[in-house]
């Protein structure tokens, strides 16, 4: 076994000095290195004039686009290749159009077995009376999922680009306080009275369009647009103070995330059962009833929530830059 050194002897070892350096209790170079104060830098007139001339020549060579031979050559090549690319693109499109089948021909892709399958077996396989809804929320539900995510991503992009408030932290810039009613009718009695009557009717009609999307014309996209228009009308009539009591940026984020997650999990289940030829435990119900068509009603609700929130958020961000 190693023998423990006395404290005075241990303090003279390299391991002790290393320990002090690692702990930060002592800098081994502090007071041990000769340090000389730096003299102030003084540039004479000749060097100063020479440096200015070099800087001027550099700017003249790099930033003088009009007299730069390399830039002129690049521009000419760019114009030539742009014209050649446009000609090539037009010729390619004309060639593709010339090989398209004639309109109304029986062998056109629009008249293949897929469309016939939608029309003949759509009601039996999806339970939706509306063939279009059965197609976009059952046969092609994966495409609709992508469209819903595109709306959400577009809203996030607008929030990033136009966000003008809500910044926190030490480096936050204080935004000037703006009057919420600067660009609004100031307590317009006619507008507010009409909004009190129409907004509930608009929202109820939007809900009806969403819930009846599998039974007739309508669905999540159209119903969500109607509800979004109702929210915008309410905002124009009563301002942000009252609207933000029930619809804030956090509300939109939570609703959109929940709707997209519900849509994703629902269709993952459908994709798994369909791909493995497993019978789904969710019944299609009686065609024509409100609770029918399997998951299509749920998916319509999810799409309607995303569309309504996206419309309202776009309007708010382009108008005010924040909630």
């Amino acid at each position: 076994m190693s023998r423990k050194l006395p404290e005075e002897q241990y303090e003279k070892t390299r391991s002790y000095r290393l320990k002090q350096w690692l702990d930060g209790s002592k800098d081994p170079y502090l007071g041990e290195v000769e340090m000389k104060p730096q003299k102030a830098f003084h540039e004479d007139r000749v060097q100063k004039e020479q440096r200015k001339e070099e800087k001027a020549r550099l700017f003249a060579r790099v930033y003088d686009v009009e007299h730069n031979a390399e830039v002129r050559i690049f521009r000419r090549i760019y114009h030539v290749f742009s014209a050649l690319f446009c000609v090539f693109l037009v010729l390619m499109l004309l060639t593709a159009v010339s090989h398209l089948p004639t309109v109304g021909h029986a062998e056109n892709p629009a008249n293949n077995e897929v469309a016939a399958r939608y029309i003949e077996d759509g009601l039996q396989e999806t339970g939706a009376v509306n063939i279009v809804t059965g197609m976009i929320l059952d046969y092609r539900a994966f495409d609709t999922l992508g469209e819903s995510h595109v709306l959400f991503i577009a809203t996030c992009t607008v929030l990033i680009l136009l966000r003008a408030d809500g910044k926190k932290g030490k480096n936050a810039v204080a935004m000037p306080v703006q009057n919420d009613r600067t660009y609004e009718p100031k307590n317009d009695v006619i507008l507010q009275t009409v909004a009190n009557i129409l907004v509930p009717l608009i929202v109820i009609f939007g809900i009806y369009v969403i819930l009846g999307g599998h039974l007739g014309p309508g669905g999540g996209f159209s119903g969500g647009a109607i509800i979004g228009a109702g929210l915008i009308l309410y905002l124009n009539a009563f301002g942000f103070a009252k609207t933000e009591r029930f619809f804030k940026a956090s509300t939109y984020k939570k609703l959109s995330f929940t709707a997209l997650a519900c849509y994703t999990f629902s269709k993952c289940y459908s994709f798994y059962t369909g791909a493995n030829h497993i019978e789904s435990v969710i019944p299609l119900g009686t065609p024509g009833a409100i609770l029918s068509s399997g998951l299509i009603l749920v998916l319509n609700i999810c799409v309607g929530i995303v569309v309504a929130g996206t419309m309202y958020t776009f309007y708010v961000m382009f108008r005010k830059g924040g909630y």
Side-chain angles (χ1 to χ4, degrees), residues 118 122-139 205-223 282-304:
Y118 291 161
L123 179 61
Q124 180 182 357
E125 294 178 348
T126 66
V129 178
N130 187 351
I131 299 176
V132 177
T133 302
M135 179 182 66
I136 65 174
L137 289 179
D138 193 283
Y139 292 114
F205 181 66
I207 295 174
Y208 162 76
V209 172
I210 293 175
L211 298 181
H214 59 294
L215 305 178
F221 286 101
S222 52
I282 301 175
L284 297 179
T286 304
I290 185 67
L291 297 177
S292 62
S293 69
L295 290 170
I296 290 181
L297 177 61
V298 178
L299 301 182
N300 260 329
I301 296 174
C302 294
V303 174

Side-chain angles (χ1 to χ4, degrees), residues 162-167 175 244 317 320-323:
L162 301 182
R163 188 76 178 178
D165 62 350
K167 297 180 180 179
M175 298 299 295
E244 289 181 357
M317 294 305 299
K320 187 182 178 183
Y323 278 72

